[in-house]
Amino acid sequence: MGSDVISAAEIERGSPSPAGPSQRQPNPGTTTNNDGGRDIAASFLAKTTSGQRITVTPADSARVLRRIDKVILPIMLTVYFLQGLDKATLAYSSVFGLIDDTGLVGDQYSWLGSIVYLAQLVMQPPLAWLLVRLPIAKFTSAMVLFWGVSLACMAASHNFSGLLATRFFLGVFEASVAPSFVAITQMWWRRREQTVRTSYCAMNGITNMIIFIFFGLVTVAFSFVMLAFMPDSPIEAKFLNDQDKLIAVERLRMNQMGVVSREWRNDHLKETLLDPKSYLWFALLCSISIPSGGISTFGPLIVRTFGFDQFQTILFNIPFGFVQLVATVGGAFVSQKIKLKFPVIIALCIPPITGCIILYIFPRDGSHRAALLTGYYLISVYPGITPLIYSWASQNTAGDTKRKCTNAILFIGQSVGNVIGPLLYTQSDAPGYERGLVSNMALYAAIMVLSAFTYVYLSKLNKVHAKRRVAMGKPAVIVDTSLDSPEEVAAAAAAAAGRRGSSGENAGESARSAEEGDVSASPNNEEVERPGDRAFENLTDLQNEDFVFVL
């Protein structure tokens, strides 16, 4: 096949397309959705494969995945790294005299932390619409540009009102990054691959001026890199040829989530607002963002109450970042391995609760520095919870508009939590910060309860979908390979082929087909169906009876 680029616009206009790959499988069970705009991937597949499935071998899938990881992932990691530095600038600047230099009094410093997330809260509803309607890479690149400009402008702010204004605009433009990247993750990676990729959250005086100007200008510069290299969808990726685009799209079939439609659906919005899952995600993310907002703003100030000078405070914050990295990446890998989110989230809540108890009990004096630092580092496990909630919500939501609306609810919850968090830690509460520590302990406990309840509710939804399939004359069991590794998929297919008495050649073909979800027998030898026929019809998770919820 040639490498001519087929644009999304050409697909939507119905332009001629080159012939697809030679290996195809008929797909007679596909139904069309005429009630609204189909996913752009459905149109792409219809134009290039005449509505037939292509065979995606594990080797092809791995090759395309490597190309996606090499181009898309570094861009996302760099932007999140810059965002993490941005969040750290205020906290570290406070250690180097920002509060005194700008004459901050009372809870004004707390408001500098909260105002960013108040701006993000205001921006989430319009962002949900914009992310559906606009090319996501170009829009996000523009927002990153203005975010960098706002950060650099903080160097010219010398009082509370100036800092408050620049921090507000910083929040406005930074608001798009997290929901955009959740949408991009859903667009490019299979469900089994999303959890680890979502752990990109781990990248999270004269000194003040250098910090603001330098990182502001770096962010501005990188916005142009993002604009040049980040595609708006797999179908518009210049680094993939036409056949690789087909593989990139077909790999996502078992997600049952679609790719992108660029059509706003009011029925999706209504379902989002009526779906209890939306409010569970809101509660979970709000609950973790309250302690996150407080610690990210006041963390270095808390360490300084242990009796360290400003340079020692910066030094002893280094292990905080290391523990955060280990907890975030480690939690993602464990969750991917066991194919469950809720037990990992519950486990990650235990160290921060222990850390809060230590900081609450021990006095602030030189003889207890080791214990206090241990408690502080235990608290630093909490960032591992946030990306797991992101991926848990994204893996359980389908339909383009519903995904964007659910993301908006997620980040409204995050913004509310981050607004509240810094206000629970005020200078008047130093050095103990008892109010903040007690509230954080209660919230970690609430997250554990909410996670268990969400697990129960999602299990119930899977049973409801199974009953719907039976009522429609379909088998109750669906073999969902979207969370399996290629080795697990091949092993399951080989076992199924063995039970059917397949030859080695047929077993190999079964393994290749299994990569795209074509498994005809379950481990219990129950009758199952070939899933994924409705994957690109822009159906929501509740509309599509074949959707399997991740627990």
Side-chain angles (χ1 to χ4, degrees):
M1 174 181 291
S3 58
D4 297 333
V5 175
I6 304 175
S7 70
E10 291 172 332
I11 293 169
E12 291 171 351
R13 289 196 302 267
S15 301
S17 60
S22 58
Q23 285 186 311
R24 292 177 180 167
Q25 298 174 344
N27 190 17
T30 301
T31 58
T32 58
N33 175 22
N34 297 320
D35 297 327
R38 298 177 73 193
D39 195 287
I40 194 173
S43 301
F44 176 69
L45 292 173
K47 291 295 180 183
T48 53
T49 68
S50 301
Q52 297 175 315
R53 288 195 190 184
I54 65 167
T55 297
V56 180
T57 67
D60 282 340
S61 179
R63 175 177 56 81
V64 172
L65 175 61
R66 285 193 298 270
R67 298 190 69 177
I68 292 170
D69 282 343
K70 287 179 180 178
V71 176
I72 306 299
L73 202 55
I75 295 174
M76 298 171 67
L77 289 174
T78 302
V79 172
Y80 254 100
F81 175 70
L82 292 170
Q83 189 178 51
L85 290 174
D86 165 26
K87 291 179 178 178
T89 54
L90 182 66
Y92 288 133
S93 295
S94 68
V95 175
F96 284 94
L98 175 71
I99 294 174
D100 294 332
D101 293 345
T102 56
L104 301 180
V105 296
D107 60 358
Q108 288 181 337
Y109 176 73
S110 300
W111 273 109
L112 291 183
S114 296
I115 192 65
V116 172
Y117 302 104
L118 188 61
Q120 292 185 11
L121 172 62
V122 172
M123 286 295 294
Q124 290 310 317
L127 277 173
W129 185 86
L130 291 169
L131 289 174
V132 171
R133 298 293 296 166
L134 298 180
I136 194 168
K138 297 179 180 63
F139 171 70
T140 307
S141 299
M143 296 293 276
V144 171
L145 169 63
F146 292 121
W147 155 32
V149 170
S150 300
L151 180 60
C153 287
M154 285 189 67
S157 304
H158 303 294
N159 54 40
F160 174 67
S161 59
L163 287 170
L164 195 70
T166 53
R167 295 282 294 174
F168 177 82
F169 284 108
L170 185 69
V172 167
F173 298 122
E174 194 178 336
S176 69
V177 173
S180 295
F181 282 4
V182 169
I184 289 169
T185 302
Q186 294 169 321
M187 183 188 299
W188 285 94
W189 286 283
R190 301 178 72 170
R191 291 205 292 188
R192 73 164 179 250
E193 301 156 354
Q194 290 174 8
T195 302
V196 173
R197 271 73 179 182
T198 310
S199 64
Y200 42 61
C201 294
M203 301 295 294
N204 291 325
I206 293 177
T207 304
N208 299 339
M209 187 173 294
I210 291 174
I211 290 173
F212 292 136
I213 292 177
F214 176 75
F215 290 115
L217 294 179
V218 168
T219 304
V220 168
F222 195 77
S223 69
F224 293 100
V225 176
M226 185 177 183
L227 178 63
F229 293 101
M230 175 70 82
D232 292 310
S233 73
I235 297 157
E236 296 150 292
K238 296 179 181 178
F239 64 89
L240 298 177
N241 60 34
D242 290 340
Q243 183 170 359
D244 285 351
K245 289 177 184 178
L246 286 171
I247 294 171
V249 170
E250 190 66 40
R251 276 172 19 90
L252 304 177
R253 183 180 294 275
M254 279 304 297
N255 286 356
Q256 304 275 12
M257 296 162 60
V259 178
V260 64
S261 70
R262 298 203 181 125
E263 179 188 10
W264 179 265
R265 295 278 298 273
N266 286 326
D267 59 320
H268 286 202
L269 170 61
K270 180 179 178 181
E271 182 176 307
T272 304
L273 296 175
L274 297 177
D275 189 348
K277 296 199 309 297
S278 301
Y279 302 99
L280 290 171
W281 308 136
F282 175 92
L284 281 165
L285 204 52
C286 183
S287 296
I288 189 58
S289 297
I290 292 175
S292 173
I295 294 297
S296 63
T297 303
F298 277 84
L301 292 177
I302 291 174
V303 173
R304 195 166 186 183
T305 66
F306 302 166
F308 299 118
D309 63 30
Q310 58 192 27
F311 293 102
Q312 289 174 326
T313 297
I314 300 299
L315 177 65
F316 283 112
N317 259 282
I318 293 174
F320 188 98
F322 176 75
V323 175
Q324 172 180 332
L325 177 65
V326 171
T328 303
V329 177
F333 273 109
V334 171
S335 175
Q336 178 179 265
K337 182 69 175 177
I338 67 175
K339 303 171 189 174
L340 294 170
K341 296 292 189 298
F342 82 96
V344 182
I345 293 174
I346 289 173
L348 288 174
C349 287
I350 296 173
I353 291 176
T354 306
C356 288
I357 292 173
I358 292 173
L359 293 187
Y360 185 81
I361 291 175
F362 284 93
R364 304 301 195 268
D365 56 48
S367 63
H368 295 98
R369 284 181 178 176
L372 291 169
L373 281 173
T374 299
Y376 183 65
Y377 296 148
L378 286 172
I379 290 175
S380 67
V381 171
Y382 79 83
I385 298 172
T386 303
L388 288 178
I389 298 173
Y390 286 163
S391 62
W392 203 10
S394 68
Q395 291 170 359
N396 283 298
T397 309
D400 190 25
T401 300
K402 185 177 182 181
R403 290 201 306 269
K404 303 306 191 303
C405 291
T406 300
N407 289 344
I409 289 176
L410 269 170
F411 293 106
I412 287 173
Q414 183 183 49
S415 299
V416 169
N418 281 316
V419 168
I420 296 171
L423 299 177
L424 297 176
Y425 291 84
T426 61
Q427 286 296 89
S428 60
D429 294 332
Y433 297 105
E434 290 86 359
R435 180 177 60 166
L437 293 173
V438 171
S439 63
N440 289 0
M441 283 188 280
L443 287 163
Y444 291 127
I447 291 168
M448 298 171 77
V449 174
L450 284 168
S451 297
F453 183 82
T454 303
Y455 162 76
V456 172
Y457 183 67
L458 293 175
S459 300
K460 178 182 177 182
L461 288 180
N462 277 334
K463 294 177 181 177
V464 169
H465 274 202
K467 291 180 180 178
R468 283 179 59 192
R469 289 192 292 270
V470 171
M472 297 171 68
K474 297 182 177 182
V477 178
I478 278 188
V479 176
D480 177 20
T481 61
S482 66
L483 295 177
D484 294 340
S485 67
E487 294 77 15
E488 290 170 326
V489 172
R499 283 191 294 271
R500 295 193 302 269
S502 299
S503 66
E505 180 180 350
N506 289 339
E509 180 62 30
S510 295
R512 287 192 294 272
S513 298
E515 177 68 15
E516 58 180 283
D518 185 15
V519 182
S520 58
S522 72
N524 298 322
N525 212 27
E526 299 175 80
E527 183 187 6
V528 299
E529 68 165 307
R530 176 184 181 180
D533 288 342
R534 309 186 72 190
F536 301 120
E537 293 184 15
N538 199 19
L539 299 175
T540 69
D541 49 279
L542 298 182
Q543 292 172 341
N544 184 359
E545 69 280 354
D546 293 338
F547 190 92
V548 178
F549 294 93
V550 179
L551 305 179

